[in-house]
Amino acid sequence: MFNVFPISGRIGCFRLTGWFRTCRVLNKKREGETQMIKAIFWDNDGVLVDTEGIFFKANSETLAGVGISLQWEQFEEISLRRGGSVLQLAAKPGTDAFYKLRRDRDALYAELLTCESPVIDGVRDMLETLRGKYVMGIVTSSGHEHFEIIHRQSGLLPYFQFVLTMKDCAHFKPHPEPYLKALALCGCAPEECLVIEDSPRGLASAVCAGIRAIVIPSQFTRGSAFPGAWRILKSVKELPAALEDLA
């Protein structure tokens, strides 16, 4: 399940700022086209499982231990939008102090996940409905260890043909590499695939890979802008109607 295929050629680096201008040329030739969807790539945190609040708690308590009060706005900007680490508020990345904070944070996050790993309402029923109709994979920038803890009891993994986590990619969202690797794994063309995301950086990754994306904002990303999204839904329960438009 965790094997990946190498991608040949150089993958350029994409910044979240101005990403839509950079990437829209990838989708221009498909405007107005209707293509049967064969594969669906799902983000994990905020789409399948409600873990973003737990990750905030782990970071907040870790930083509090060194006298820093983490504000939600800081976490949203640095972690959810940029894909960075809020631990940089306390220590310079690459230093021993930073690595110690990260180890402490990761250990606390793992502990919290064993107690709270809620599957988002409607997800299990939706995956059961889609089973066998599409190739499905999880594409996440989560660490592999934490991913395994999350899904040890979720019961969701049998619905998916492959999983890509942080350890499988040299670059993380909003870079397109995760979704380019997903394309290589499933063997489908970009126009035959659909991405389900909840964040601007995840959306950027999908669009830069040339794949249409549906955004289902989580409670933590509802205030964000999602330029380039093919469709924005209120709930995963609205997905069947959206898929019918692509049939």
Side-chain angles (χ1 to χ4, degrees):
M1 175 178 292
F2 296 98
N3 292 333
V4 298
F5 298 153
I7 296 178
S8 60
R10 182 178 179 182
I11 303 173
C13 183
F14 292 78
R15 294 180 180 271
L16 188 55
T17 303
W19 64 267
F20 185 59
R21 183 183 301 109
T22 303
C23 302
R24 62 186 176 184
V25 67
L26 297 175
N27 294 319
K28 186 174 181 181
K29 68 177 182 178
R30 294 199 306 277
E31 290 177 359
E33 292 183 4
T34 299
Q35 184 77 32
M36 181 179 292
I37 296 300
K38 297 180 180 179
I40 301 177
F41 307 145
W42 298 74
D43 180 38
N44 186 61
D45 302 282
V47 172
L48 297 175
V49 288
D50 188 8
T51 54
E52 290 168 326
I54 302 172
F55 191 54
F56 171 76
K57 182 178 181 181
N59 279 282
S60 178
E61 292 188 10
T62 300
L63 288 173
V66 292
I68 294 178
S69 177
L70 177 64
Q71 303 303 308
W72 172 257
E73 293 76 15
Q74 295 171 305
F75 178 76
E76 182 180 38
E77 176 62 28
I78 297 171
S79 290
L80 298 186
R81 293 187 179 175
R82 297 187 211 162
S85 173
V86 293
L87 300 180
Q88 68 188 37
L89 297 172
K92 183 178 180 180
T95 63
D96 290 342
F98 180 85
Y99 290 136
K100 182 182 184 305
L101 283 173
R102 190 171 66 180
R103 287 193 299 271
D104 293 345
R105 189 273 317 275
D106 288 351
L108 177 57
Y109 184 44
E111 180 182 345
L112 293 172
L113 286 173
T114 61
C115 304
E116 322 172 49
S117 294
V119 176
I120 290 175
D121 182 47
V123 163
R124 196 182 308 278
D125 290 341
M126 184 55 53
L127 294 176
E128 184 63 40
T129 298
L130 300 178
R131 187 203 289 264
K133 298 178 182 178
Y134 305 93
V135 174
M136 293 200 292
I138 299 176
V139 182
T140 176
S141 291
S142 295
H144 188 75
E145 177 186 353
H146 293 135
F147 181 88
E148 288 191 329
I149 294 172
I150 290 168
H151 289 287
R152 198 168 288 156
Q153 298 178 339
S154 75
L156 298 184
L157 292 187
Y159 292 105
F160 298 96
Q161 282 68 59
F162 66 89
V163 170
L164 291 169
T165 65
M166 180 183 288
K167 77 175 182 65
D168 299 310
C169 299
H171 303 92
F172 314 129
K173 302 174 186 178
H175 195 283
E177 182 185 357
Y179 284 116
L180 291 174
K181 283 201 169 185
L183 290 173
L185 274 170
C186 74
C188 296
E191 58 268 24
E192 297 174 324
C193 301
L194 185 69
V195 164
I196 313 296
E197 274 284 354
D198 75 311
S199 70
R201 67 188 179 97
L203 173 61
S205 177
V207 174
C208 285
I211 310 172
R212 278 172 291 199
I214 286 177
V215 174
I216 307 175
S218 70
Q219 60 177 317
F220 304 112
T221 61
R222 284 193 188 115
S224 302
F226 299 104
W230 179 74
R231 192 73 58 86
I232 300 176
L233 308 181
K234 294 180 180 179
S235 164
V236 71
K237 298 175 183 178
E238 299 177 357
L239 186 55
L243 288 170
E244 285 183 10
D245 291 343
L246 292 171

